[in-house]
Amino acid sequence: MDNSRRSFIKISALGASGVALSATAFGSINQNALTENNLLAESAKNLKRTPTYCEVCFWKCAAWAYTDEENNIKKVIGNDIDPHCFGRLCPRGTGGVGMYADKDRLKKPLIRVGGKNGEADTFREASWEEALTLVASKMQGIKDKYGAESMALLKHGSPGSHLEHLFKAYGSDTIAEPAYAQCRGPRETGFGLTFGSWIGSPEPTDIRDTKCLVLIGSHIGENMHNSQVQEMSDAIDNGATIITVDPRLSTAASKSDFWLAIKPSTDIALLLSWMHVLIYENLYNKDYVDQYGFGFEQLKEHVKDFTPEWAYGITTIKPEDIRKTARAMAAAAPSVIVHPGRHVVWYGDDSQRERSIAILNGLLGSWGKRGGFYFKEKVKIPKFPHPPYPHPKWGWEELVEKYPFAEMGSTTEVIKATIPGENEEYPVKAWFVAGTNLVNTVPERAMIEKAIDALEFIVVMDTMPMEITGYADVVLPECTYLERYDGIRSATNRVPSIALRMPAAKPKYDSKPAWWMAKQIGDKLGLGEYFKYDDLKDVISWQLEQMGTSLEEMEKVGVKMFERKSGSMFIADGEPHEFGTNSGKIEFYSTELAEKGFDPMPVYTPHAQPEAGFYRLNYGRSPMHTFSRTINNPNLNALKSENKLWVNPKVARIEGLRNEQEVWLENQDGIFSEFSIKVRVTERIRWDSVYMYHGFGHTSKKLSRAYGKGVSDTHLISKVSVDPLMGGTGMRGNFVKIVLENPHKNTEV
Ligand code: SF4
């Protein structure tokens, strides 16, 4: 590995003829490719460009799709003026054209004709008319029999918003997405309780100007959040101090000034001890805390005994390292970011860990400061006129009512409410699943399968034959983001902007956009008043005109910036500022938590550790892939086709393992991995854990490149620790042992 800090990350500035560049996100770009100027010159001559924004992940980088005279999409290149990508797509986005080209795509609507195991012969092809009439009649049947509320929408990504409109018009607000309870929900709760503001996406972190960036289990760089990765690279170049807390030497850790190889599950102890050092060494930002803080004295008393020596016994991080890193943060303050992370559902006390991170930022005075967190802003997209939605009798809010700080639907609670006897009051009877491969996204597979068995109807909309389509009664093939209009992108950022997505090519095969499906189903359900347009283009055109621009202008520029309306991104020293909390201040002591009977300040609680012979299962992102959905993408699969099991040399010695050896895994509940995984022996992981990239180990044979390659971490996550504040499902408390013989040798997976 090249260890120079300068070479941390180089994101692609160009894409070559529909093939993802062969460089990783961290090495040098393949210079055999055309230079950017040559490429653009060539593009101008031969290719037509169409604005879009990337859907390979949720960062939604604005881009240009280039098509040839035969209307084939040749490449996708970042839009120079876009604040999500600064003109450069990440390796996945560059390879996004592979989604369009993948021959394994869903091609026709499918209707189940028998069985429930996903085998090809249990479906038959159908016309759109037949498939959508069936979906509409089933939705009507559920509404008549149980109420529309019993039909749930489980969704991810842009298509979800079109279906959300359909569901609200139909009378159901039983809507959830894994992005909340299985990903970032706890950080919104933790920061919301402290600063009165959600983090949101993209995160309002002023990384480019920071002097110190602290990453806790966050592996930016492998986690390709484009603009954030580029800003981190700039921050490294500018000499920022990087502190990484991770049981694994991630790529970010390898470029850090401090790598704290923490014992997994003990992060809150480290965070409390950092607070102790800042307060008791008088390193905290006193003026800021005096002016904006609430409950500082209680916090001071609370962390009195949480010395670095106390934390050492828990975290295995040496006291001098805890002190040194706390002092480094204080030296950089307020231009310091203790990053909230993104996939933060770990041990069930995740909202409180996020509170600890928020409190640290409060002590350092980084919220609302250059090099810390900026005040984000977005533009409001005008709502296309439609009648008011009906009021459902219950919905996602009732399903999460036992979690007082839940602010979005929980996929897990929808799944539970589907299982007979689990939730008699709010029973879910049918699902519409859009763009999320639930069985490889949500943990506790046995629970999901039990729920699916009880469903009266399940319709799945996707671009690919993901595992979840095998459980469907009706499968609706969606076209890819490169073949459709979608809603105007308006995301929070330093400066508000919008981006346009329009079709760069006609949908391949017999696939259709989600907005079209939603409208057809709506019309069939007698909800035509909510869909008074022929084409989504008409809606977008109307919205753009309300915003003082036009479709014609947006087709030319792709991205448009707007003036900030809410004033400065930062608070000037001494300037009054009201925070959105009960007290109007940064709550070191949370009045809301106290009112509702929770710990008003974070407390460290020990979590279960692996028994002898078991290792904690840690997982994370590969820079080449997003979740499980890109593994089959021909361009991205060519870069990484399987995951490996990272094991420490000590573990390799004990278990008798060598590099590239194929092994299987068995978790604490006796669940075996479906396939084998190759061993990677490395000092980069602690001896008490193993690590793998997420999203591999596909069992759908229709995914010709991804089937049987590597192991699914989600399959081995059969136990979760639920966050009592917001219902997040902590997934890092699963342990595996390494099995040398194929446990399936007498059975077929
Ligand atoms: Fe696409 Fe990469 Fe941007 Fe995600 S970060 S939207 S994959 S270019």
Side-chain angles (χ1 to χ4, degrees), residues 74-140:
K74 305 302 285 181
K75 58 195 163 226
V76 188
I77 294 177
N79 186 318
D80 284 339
I81 57 169
D82 184 39
H84 292 229
C85 75
F86 311 126
R88 298 169 174 197
L89 299 186
C90 82
R92 298 174 314 189
T94 307
V97 72
M99 281 171 80
Y100 164 74
D102 195 336
K103 291 196 167 56
D104 290 341
R105 279 173 60 170
L106 290 168
K107 299 180 176 75
K108 292 274 294 174
L110 301 171
I111 293 179
R112 172 173 298 284
V113 290
K116 274 231 167 191
N117 60 5
E119 293 300 317
D121 62 0
T122 61
F123 291 94
R124 68 171 169 81
E125 291 186 351
S127 67
W128 276 103
E129 179 60 23
E130 185 188 10
L132 295 178
T133 302
L134 179 59
V135 172
S137 73
K138 291 285 184 184
M139 285 178 73
Q140 190 60 51

Side-chain angles (χ1 to χ4, degrees), residues 167-181:
F167 265 64
K168 288 187 169 162
Y170 160 78
S172 173
D173 203 17
T174 311
I175 299 172
E177 52 189 290
Y180 188 68

Side-chain angles (χ1 to χ4, degrees), residues 11 53-63 76 78 82 84-85 88-96 223-227 229 481 501 623 625-626 630 636:
I11 284 192
Y53 54 87
C54 179
E55 184 87 14
V56 183
C57 88
F58 41 74
W59 209 253
K60 296 191 168 81
C61 299
V76 188
D82 184 39
H84 292 229
C85 75
R88 298 169 174 197
L89 299 186
C90 82
R92 298 174 314 189
T94 307
N223 211 346
M224 298 301 287
H225 300 157
N226 195 338
S227 46
V229 178
Y481 74 98
R501 174 185 288 164
H625 289 289
T626 315
T630 56
L636 302 181

Side-chain angles (χ1 to χ4, degrees), residues 428-720:
V428 172
K429 298 289 183 184
W431 294 355
F432 198 130
V433 182
T436 174
N437 189 20
L438 275 189
V439 288
N440 256 357
T441 305
V442 178
E444 301 181 280
R445 177 88 51 93
M447 175 186 76
I448 301 173
E449 289 181 341
K450 210 166 158 189
I452 291 176
D453 276 349
L455 282 171
E456 294 194 9
F457 183 66
I458 170 169
V459 50
V460 176
M461 186 190 80
D462 213 311
T463 59
M464 293 296 296
M466 307 308 283
E467 282 75 12
I468 188 68
T469 60
Y471 297 89
D473 293 304
V474 178
V475 179
L476 303 176
E478 190 198 8
C479 59
T480 68
Y481 74 98
L482 292 163
E483 302 158 299
R484 66 187 194 225
Y485 280 104
D486 258 318
I488 300 165
R489 185 204 78 185
S490 171
T492 54
N493 227 305
R494 293 180 175 95
V495 178
S497 68
I498 57 169
L500 175 68
R501 174 185 288 164
M502 59 184 291
K506 281 204 193 102
K508 276 198 176 194
Y509 313 113
D510 197 7
S511 61
K512 299 278 187 189
W515 69 261
W516 181 87
M517 291 184 234
K519 176 176 160 52
Q520 298 300 312
I521 297 169
D523 286 345
K524 287 177 191 301
L525 285 166
L527 302 170
E529 287 296 301
Y530 292 88
F531 298 92
K532 291 191 92 170
Y533 44 85
D534 295 326
D535 196 312
L536 190 67
K537 183 180 176 181
D538 306 337
V539 176
I540 293 170
S541 194
W542 178 87
Q543 289 171 320
L544 291 171
E545 271 163 34
Q546 306 300 304
M547 298 172 79
T549 174
S550 65
L551 196 57
E552 292 67 41
E553 185 192 1
M554 288 304 293
E555 282 182 29
K556 284 192 202 112
V557 294
V559 171
K560 187 173 169 70
M561 312 302 286
F562 288 76
E563 297 265 308
R564 278 181 69 92
K565 294 225 167 92
S566 60
S568 171
M569 274 188 279
F570 303 114
I571 319 176
D573 288 346
E575 185 188 341
H577 187 84
E578 177 148 351
F579 291 80
T581 53
N582 276 350
S583 59
K585 301 210 164 212
I586 298 168
E587 295 209 351
F588 298 117
Y589 176 98
S590 168
T591 51
E592 276 197 79
L593 286 173
E595 263 169 33
K596 296 204 162 91
F598 294 98
D599 291 322
M601 289 170 293
V603 171
Y604 166 69
T605 317
H607 295 292
Q609 297 300 320
E611 287 177 11
F614 281 84
Y615 306 95
R616 188 179 299 274
L617 175 62
N618 271 335
Y619 53 87
R621 298 267 180 254
S622 150
M624 306 307 158
H625 289 289
T626 315
F627 317 132
S628 65
R629 67 208 286 219
T630 56
I631 310 288
N632 203 66
N633 176 316
N635 297 345
L636 302 181
N637 188 275
L639 299 176
K640 181 163 283 299
S641 61
E642 63 186 323
N643 56 356
K644 292 198 175 166
L645 185 73
W646 295 34
V647 300
N648 185 277
K650 180 173 159 184
V651 174
R653 264 198 313 280
I654 295 169
E655 303 283 346
L657 304 174
R658 55 179 199 285
N659 264 324
E660 297 295 312
Q661 181 177 350
E662 283 191 39
V663 296
W664 288 258
L665 300 172
E666 180 185 1
N667 82 352
Q668 73 284 334
D669 296 324
I671 294 173
F672 288 97
S673 61
E674 290 148 310
F675 304 106
S676 62
I677 185 167
K678 288 182 190 144
V679 167
R680 173 183 178 185
V681 181
T682 172
E683 294 277 3
R684 292 176 60 181
I685 181 80
R686 279 175 62 104
W687 56 268
D688 50 9
S689 303
V690 292
Y691 177 82
M692 66 174 71
Y693 283 137
H694 167 75
F696 290 83
H698 280 280
T699 55
S700 168
K701 290 182 177 161
K702 294 169 195 157
L703 299 169
S704 62
R705 288 168 219 94
Y707 171 77
K709 296 284 179 59
V711 157
S712 161
D713 52 311
T714 313
H715 176 66
L716 294 165
I717 301 175
S718 54
K719 190 173 128 213
V720 299

